[in-house]
Amino acid sequence: MLALSIRSLHAAYPETVTRGPIDLHTHSSVSDGTETPTQLMRAAVAAGLDTVAITDHDSTAGWDEALTAAAGTGLQVVRGIELSTRHEWRSVHVLGYLFDPNNADLLGETARIRDDRLTRAERMVARLAEDYPVSWDDVLAQSGGTTIGRPHIADALVARGVVPTRSAAFESILHFSGGYYLPHEAPTVLRGVTMITQAGGAAVLAHPATRGREAVVEERDLARLVDAGLVGLEVGHRENTTAGRERLLELAARFDLVVTGSSDYHGEGKPNRLAENSTSPEALDRIIAATSGVPPVRA
Ligand code: AMP
Ligand code: ZN
Ligand code: FE
Ligand code: FE
């Protein structure tokens, strides 16, 4: 009886007192967000967030600017990344939190991914240039210079008046089956999770149910990722299907994984709004407890 009432008291007064939503997946112009890390932090404060994670694709180049911009605002910043990996031929994104940014394996692998993204984008643009008025210089003009991808090609097509919006480009010309798509090199998801874990970080599978329940990672593959250190699953994400989310919750319970929810904010580059999905303070506590790379910062 006593134990029960203590536990319920504890639940009513969690250790982490938060002042707003926790959003653990956002992009700046270091990758394909439309706002600089400084503008992203201002947007996070304006949205009333307690905690924001900056998770640019394959780069930590926005970390320092984000911390500087957040100083004095009371916003808690979780330094992170969204690592491009693959499972067989499929692209899989892995969120990594609070790892050591100087870890040699991660530094080498992210540099390789960014380099291959660059040549892949160049090859895609060469194909596109045969049919559309778009050049490699147009695309470079749209990129923040660190991690390049289809969003920057989309923005160049918008600037040239070929399509009205970035999303329209993704739904047509730049779609996987649009005739111009090319893949880029990426490590396996197992290697991605292993690298993040060994760098003292917490790995969480990003939007793992965008293709429905049947396409969610198989239990035996997930078991291997959990053995490699996987901490959580991003269940709350606008692109996860309803049935897919149910499956993810089953798997999270089966493997005792942390469940997160996030916006995947890209500024004006995507309709996703900050805090449209969020993560509980208890889930964030578990993520932080799993890490030893860099601490979350609230200044
Ligand atoms: P890539 O990795 O180069 O193949 O490009 C895919 C990335 O584009 C994903 O990470 C998406 O989050 C991102 N993206 C950014 N803006 C959009 C958009 N408006 N529609 C679809 N994907 C987008
Ligand atoms: Zn993106
Ligand atoms: Fe993603
Ligand atoms: Fe993302």
Side-chain angles (χ1 to χ4, degrees):
M1 256 329 257
L2 188 60
L4 241 185
S5 57
I6 287 172
R7 201 174 305 140
S8 47
L9 248 184
H10 192 73
Y13 298 98
E15 277 162 40
T16 309
V17 179
T18 54
R19 302 165 225 183
I22 296 167
D23 191 335
L24 296 181
H25 184 167
T26 71
H27 297 270
S28 80
S29 54
V30 159
S31 61
D32 57 353
T34 57
E35 296 170 346
T36 63
T38 300
Q39 291 166 332
L40 174 62
M41 293 304 117
R42 288 189 187 139
V45 171
L49 295 190
D50 172 85
T51 301
V52 69
I54 176 169
T55 55
D56 277 305
H57 297 283
D58 311 311
S59 175
T60 61
W63 283 14
D64 290 350
E65 186 185 321
L67 289 191
T68 302
T73 66
L75 178 71
Q76 176 167 247
V77 181
V78 169
R79 286 168 280 181
I81 198 166
E82 185 175 17
L83 192 68
S84 305
T85 74
R86 63 180 167 81
H87 181 59
E88 291 153 4
W89 54 271
R90 263 192 199 161
S91 157
V92 176
H93 287 174
V94 183
L95 293 159
Y97 299 113
L98 302 172
F99 54 87
D100 170 11
N102 299 315
N103 177 270
D105 269 356
L106 262 179
L107 276 177
E109 199 67 71
T110 49
R112 255 194 303 282
I113 297 169
R114 292 195 307 268
D115 282 352
D116 196 68
R117 281 180 157 284
L118 196 64
T119 55
R120 169 261 199 161
E122 244 181 312
R123 283 182 286 126
M124 278 185 72
V125 172
R127 288 165 73 151
L128 280 159
E130 292 176 15
D131 300 324
Y132 297 100
V134 66
S135 71
W136 182 235
D137 280 346
D138 292 341
V139 176
L140 289 180
Q142 299 296 334
S143 157
T146 304
T147 308
I148 206 162
R150 276 183 292 164
H152 308 101
I153 305 177
D155 292 348
L157 291 167
V158 173
R160 286 284 175 194
V162 176
V163 284
T165 63
R166 184 191 273 192
S167 295
F170 268 91
E171 282 155 24
S172 59
I173 304 172
L174 297 181
H175 191 267
F176 179 66
S177 53
Y180 300 96
Y181 180 90
L182 292 171
H184 63 79
E185 289 295 325
T188 65
V189 58
L190 183 60
R191 173 151 165 79
V193 168
T194 303
M195 277 188 303
I196 290 165
T197 307
Q198 289 184 350
V204 171
L205 287 187
H207 45 75
T210 57
R211 299 179 189 90
R213 184 181 173 100
E214 299 312 314
V216 168
V217 56
E218 302 228 6
E219 212 164 301
R220 63 166 193 281
D221 293 327
L222 187 59
R224 286 194 196 109
L225 298 181
V226 171
D227 285 344
L230 184 73
V231 169
L233 299 174
E234 187 185 55
V235 178
H237 185 288
R238 67 157 65 201
E239 288 166 41
N240 284 335
T241 68
T242 305
R245 288 180 202 213
E246 284 166 12
R247 177 68 185 141
L248 291 176
L249 290 175
E250 287 166 18
L251 289 169
R254 160 98 174 72
F255 290 99
D256 192 27
L257 290 167
V258 177
V259 167
T260 70
S262 337
S263 65
D264 202 357
Y265 179 74
H266 283 69
E268 294 314 307
K270 263 189 155 182
N272 311 29
R273 294 299 92 192
L274 285 168
E276 64 175 33
N277 284 289
S278 60
T279 297
S280 73
E282 295 76 14
L284 177 59
D285 283 344
R286 281 185 64 189
I287 287 172
I288 295 170
T291 62
S292 59
V294 293
V297 176
R298 193 195 297 274

